[in-house]
Amino acid sequence: MKNIPLLLMGCGGVGRQLLQHIVSCRSLHAQQGVHLRVIGVCDSKSLVFASDVITRELNDQTLYEVCRVKSNGSSLSALGDLGECIVYGNSESKRKVMDIAALLGKATGLAFVDCSASSETIGVLNQVVDMGCCVVLANKKPLTSIMEDYDKLVSYPRRIRHESTVGAGLPVIASLNRLLSSGDPVHRIIGSLSGTLGYVMSEVEDGKPLSEVVKAAKNLGFTEPDPRDDLSGMDVARKALILARLLGRRINLDNIKIESLYPDEMGPDAMSVEEFLASGIVSLDNDVQERVKKALLNGNVLRYVCVIEGSRCEVGIQELPKDSPLGRLRGSDNVLEIYSRCYNKQPLVIQGAGAGNDTTAAGVLADILDIQDLFPSKE
């Protein structure tokens, strides 16, 4: 039986869904000869961990209680008496995490699973990789920090997985790694990597005003609470940077040309979400509709995409042929076209749901299982 100790950082939607997946897959994993031993869970303020991280774990009832408390918006510090578990406050959490990494990293191994959306985890991850720990990421920020941080994280390539940083559970990273490791150089990537912006662009293609589409997307839960977090293009830029670095480009976020769908004067520092939705975005409708009409006259459609080719790495609106995989995209799916020596005239196309807590958490779980051979078997 493979016994994989793991510590989860981040108990938002993805983190909670991951814990639920782990519990619901117990019998399946037992048949596969694997046991995922959750020894600790932390949020930005607190850490809950097993009283003896070498032999014990947070039981399934405790994991469900963690999910319940976090779904109510409370901190882990709000957990009551959990028996064999200990709760640390913010001031001591980081120190304790490092103690656990030092204890288990070189001995039994330990998987740090980052499902947060914080840059605060970068310092911890950079240290634990040198302690023999594995790292599994859904959080894009550690991989899109400065090159020094990136180089440290990927310095032990067998011990890091990050499929869910791009395209949720889609096999984007794995596919690229297979091409690169087989000596098939990738020379162009173009993709729609935002379910929100994919939905928005396919809806405005039908003649709907941008303002109405964004409001509808927000009501459907497709956008962040502030839709400008999606419309800025920054999330797509982070995904593009991860892909570009995977191809060997030594660039940072500020090297990427990013087209925002709103001007600076409509940013969060200039107007509230309510003002932006009520009056700001309406003023953008005509310009977007004109761009849609122009594309249609050329036999094309508009898509918000990332393009990586040579030294070029940019994200923004592009005119694309209607009959291309990206041109046929409808709704919130992600689509990625990869061009290489073997996939030159006809690209390798990866398409499917590229967002959602369930899909992303499933991708994280698959990544954890993918590193099981790095952990010792237990009789």
Side-chain angles (χ1 to χ4, degrees), residues 39-202:
I39 63 162
V41 178
C42 63
D43 59 16
S44 60
K45 298 178 180 178
S46 307
L47 163 70
V48 55
F49 64 97
S51 56
D52 181 352
V53 295
I54 295 178
T55 61
R56 296 185 179 275
E57 64 186 293
L58 303 182
N59 62 39
D60 292 351
Q61 182 179 351
T62 299
L63 297 183
Y64 278 131
E65 182 65 10
V66 166
C67 292
R68 184 191 67 78
V69 168
K70 291 303 298 181
S71 64
N72 291 335
S74 301
S75 168
L76 289 174
S77 58
L79 287 166
D81 182 12
L82 296 174
E84 294 293 325
C85 305
I86 302 171
V87 180
Y88 269 78
N90 187 41
S91 61
E92 297 180 89
S93 291
K94 184 175 179 180
R95 178 186 61 80
K96 189 60 185 178
V97 165
M98 300 310 300
D99 289 345
I100 293 172
L103 180 64
L104 295 181
K106 300 288 188 183
T108 63
L110 175 62
F112 271 78
V113 182
D114 186 357
C115 289
S116 73
S118 172
S119 58
E120 295 296 315
T121 62
I122 296 172
V124 171
L125 295 174
N126 282 348
Q127 293 181 66
V128 302
V129 292
D130 283 333
M131 297 178 180
C133 298
C134 295
V135 172
V136 176
L137 301 171
N139 182 8
K140 291 178 280 293
K141 291 181 179 176
L143 292 172
T144 55
S145 182
I146 59 175
M147 282 303 307
E148 183 181 357
D149 290 333
Y150 179 83
D151 288 340
K152 170 60 74 172
L153 274 178
V154 302
S155 59
Y156 302 95
R158 292 187 64 224
R159 300 209 306 256
I160 183 170
R161 297 291 186 277
H162 56 96
E163 190 66 77
S164 291
T165 58
V166 180
L170 293 176
V172 173
I173 305 299
S175 298
L176 279 172
N177 276 329
R178 286 175 64 87
L179 291 176
L180 297 172
S181 62
S182 69
D184 185 10
V186 174
H187 57 80
R188 174 178 165 84
I189 294 175
I190 180 169
S192 175
L193 296 176
S194 166
T196 301
L197 293 177
Y199 170 83
V200 168
M201 298 312 298
S202 61

Side-chain angles (χ1 to χ4, degrees), residues 171 175-176 179 336-340 343-344 346-350:
S175 298
L176 279 172
L179 291 176
L336 197 72
E337 299 178 22
I338 301 172
Y339 295 83
S340 67
Y343 297 92
N344 191 14
Q346 294 296 327
L348 172 63
V349 179
I350 303 171

